[in-house]
Amino acid sequence: MAIRLSNPAALQRILSRPSRLIMKQNQASPIISNITIMTQRSYYSTEQSEPSPPPLLTKMKGDLKTAMRAKDTTRLSVLRSVLAAALNASKTASPIRTDAQLVALLRKQAQASQDAIDGFKAAGRDDLVEKESAQVKVLLDYAAESGVQVLSEQDLETLAGQAREQVAAAGDTLSMGNLMKMLAGPGGLLEGKDFDKTAVAKIVKKIAA
């Protein structure tokens, strides 16, 4: 039995709606694809921009596995302590990104162990003195093998003199703040070098007096 519609134009409009919807979906898909591609590119770009760890830190991570296999308890204790300190620093505003910064951490830990040694000697704990001394040796060996330039007190005085000239040339006052900024600030004369911070402060204080 045939069905007759009184308004053929209305039927045509109804039948055309699904195709229009499909066309809209097809038109939207390239936009969605482009957004997806851009998001992926942004993700990988961010991932690739992460700075690589200092070479010395990478070496110490490898040495940790070697120490575990060899059951070298002294080296293992030192490496775990240094790597834990480096990890904690990575969560702060001053992460360790260079060998020079890592060497500064090694020397800081070596000084802390040396202070402990003095206390153990006073207490007559020769066993602990021997243990701490062995750890100090490991720390200083890593610092010595880092390849970071070690500055003597004479080197520091020379660089401090250069900093004084640069501050004066800039028309700034010879304050400790300006001198330290020129020496130890980003891009400063001491960047990438191993030095005694206490000695630097002493020299700068003398110049600024």
Side-chain angles (χ1 to χ4, degrees):
M1 180 179 66
I3 299 176
R4 303 180 69 179
L5 293 177
S6 59
N7 193 345
L11 176 60
Q12 184 62 33
R13 286 197 298 271
I14 293 172
L15 293 174
S16 65
R17 286 176 183 173
S19 61
R20 290 179 181 175
L21 180 59
I22 293 172
M23 288 178 63
K24 288 182 179 180
Q25 290 175 341
N26 291 337
Q27 290 171 354
S29 60
I31 299 175
I32 295 173
S33 299
N34 289 339
I35 293 174
T36 303
I37 293 171
M38 290 173 65
T39 303
Q40 290 175 342
R41 286 177 179 172
S42 176
Y43 171 78
Y44 287 117
S45 176
T46 302
E47 189 177 55
Q48 293 172 357
S49 67
E50 288 295 325
S52 58
L56 181 58
L57 185 62
T58 301
K59 181 182 185 305
M60 296 182 79
K61 289 179 179 179
D63 288 351
L64 177 66
K65 298 177 181 179
T66 303
M68 290 177 67
R69 288 193 294 268
K71 296 183 180 180
D72 186 342
T73 55
T74 299
R75 188 173 298 273
L76 191 59
S77 177
V78 169
L79 290 172
R80 281 175 172 168
S81 177
V82 173
L83 294 177
L87 178 61
N88 290 336
S90 69
K91 301 174 183 178
T92 68
S94 303
I96 294 176
R97 293 178 177 170
T98 65
D99 279 349
Q101 291 174 316
L102 185 54
V103 167
L105 173 61
L106 294 174
R107 294 201 181 281
K108 181 179 179 180
Q109 292 201 350
Q111 184 58 54
S113 292
Q114 189 60 55
D115 293 341
I117 288 172
D118 295 338
F120 293 145
K121 284 181 178 179
R125 294 296 306 272
D126 293 339
D127 56 328
L128 296 179
V129 169
E130 183 178 356
K131 178 181 178 182
E132 289 292 332
S133 297
Q135 292 184 357
V136 169
K137 183 179 184 306
V138 173
L139 288 165
L140 295 182
D141 283 347
Y142 273 112
E145 296 169 2
S146 66
V148 176
Q149 181 182 358
V150 181
L151 298 180
S152 64
E153 187 169 349
Q154 184 177 358
D155 294 330
L156 294 175
E157 289 178 350
T158 300
L159 291 174
Q162 294 178 15
R164 176 178 56 188
E165 293 175 359
Q166 292 179 9
V167 170
D172 297 328
T173 58
L174 289 177
S175 64
M176 286 192 66
N178 287 333
L179 289 168
M180 288 300 295
K181 182 179 179 181
M182 197 65 67
L183 285 167
L189 297 172
L190 295 175
E191 187 174 51
K193 300 177 178 62
D194 180 19
F195 57 93
D196 185 344
K197 292 183 179 180
T198 303
V200 172
K202 181 179 178 181
I203 294 170
V204 168
K205 185 177 181 180
K206 182 180 179 180
I207 294 175

